[in-house]
Amino acid sequence: MVSGSAPPVRANIVLTVNGSLRRLTVDTRASLLDALRETLGLTGAKKGCDHGQCGACTVLLDGRRANACLALAVAQDGSDVVTVEGLADGERLSPVQEAFLAHDGYQCGYCTPGQLCSATGVLREAARGWPSAVTADVASEPPLDDAEIRERMSGNLCRCGAYQGIVAAVREAAR
C-alpha cells in the first residue's frame, strides 16, 4: 500500500450462484469475475482480455448473458449468477453441453465455458423472440439459422477457430 492511501473499501453482498445463496465480502472495486474466481473458487469463467471483448468470462446474470469482467461484484448484490459449473444438472450435462461435445464445439477449451454460457443465453433470447442485428423481420419470431447464431455468438471469440462446431452445436441445442 502506498503511504497515505486509504485501505480498500469492502462491502457485504449476497448472490445466488448456481442455485446456492452465497454471502461474500468483496472489495468494492472487484469485478464479478474476480469474486467468482478468487473468492468462491469457481474458475470456469476465464479471464481473457479483462476488457469485455473476448467473451471468455461470460456468465448468466439474472438469466441474461453478461461479461463478468465488466460487472462490479458489489453492484450485483441480490443477483442470480449461473456459471459454466452450474449449467449441468448434477452429472447430467445440459443440452448445450451435450451438443458441444457431439459437434466438437471446442478445441483448447479456454473459451468453452464462456461459449457454453453464451449459447445458453442465445437460446433463451431466441425463445423469447428477441431479434438480433441480422433478424430480417423483427415483428416475427427470429429463425435460429446459422446467420442468427453467428451474429448472436459474435461476442465470444475462439482463437482455435472452432466456430463451425460451435454454430452446429447451438443449432442442434435449439431443436
Side-chain angles (χ1 to χ4, degrees), residues 16-73:
T16 301
V17 181
N18 299 329
S20 297
L21 195 66
R22 306 297 300 263
R23 297 180 190 283
L24 308 168
T25 301
V26 296
D27 183 319
T28 56
R29 301 166 297 176
S31 69
L32 177 60
L33 178 62
D34 288 337
L36 292 169
R37 292 181 60 83
E38 296 171 18
T39 305
L40 296 177
L42 296 171
T43 58
K46 303 299 185 226
K47 187 174 275 200
C49 66
D50 216 20
H51 295 286
Q53 297 175 341
C54 73
C57 66
T58 303
V59 298
L60 298 172
L61 183 59
D62 293 327
R64 298 188 63 185
R65 298 183 285 163
N67 290 330
C69 72
L70 296 180
L72 285 173

Side-chain angles (χ1 to χ4, degrees), residues 7-8 12 20 78 103 106 110 118 145:
N12 295 320
S20 297
H103 292 280
Y106 56 90
Y110 194 82
S118 189
D145 58 20

Side-chain angles (χ1 to χ4, degrees), residues 86-106:
L87 293 179
D89 182 12
E91 294 296 316
R92 184 169 184 236
L93 297 178
S94 74
V96 172
Q97 290 171 309
E98 290 284 354
F100 266 66
L101 285 172
H103 292 280
D104 293 326
Y106 56 90

Side-chain angles (χ1 to χ4, degrees), residues 70-130:
L70 296 180
L72 285 173
V74 71
Q76 309 318 311
D77 187 27
S79 295
D80 180 64
V81 180
V82 176
T83 67
V84 69
E85 292 93 342
L87 293 179
D89 182 12
E91 294 296 316
R92 184 169 184 236
L93 297 178
S94 74
V96 172
Q97 290 171 309
E98 290 284 354
F100 266 66
L101 285 172
H103 292 280
D104 293 326
Y106 56 90
Q107 284 186 24
C108 80
Y110 194 82
C111 73
T112 305
Q115 298 276 3
L116 289 165
C117 286
S118 189
T120 301
V122 161
L123 295 177
R124 289 179 183 167
E125 292 164 12
R128 291 181 179 127
W130 295 355

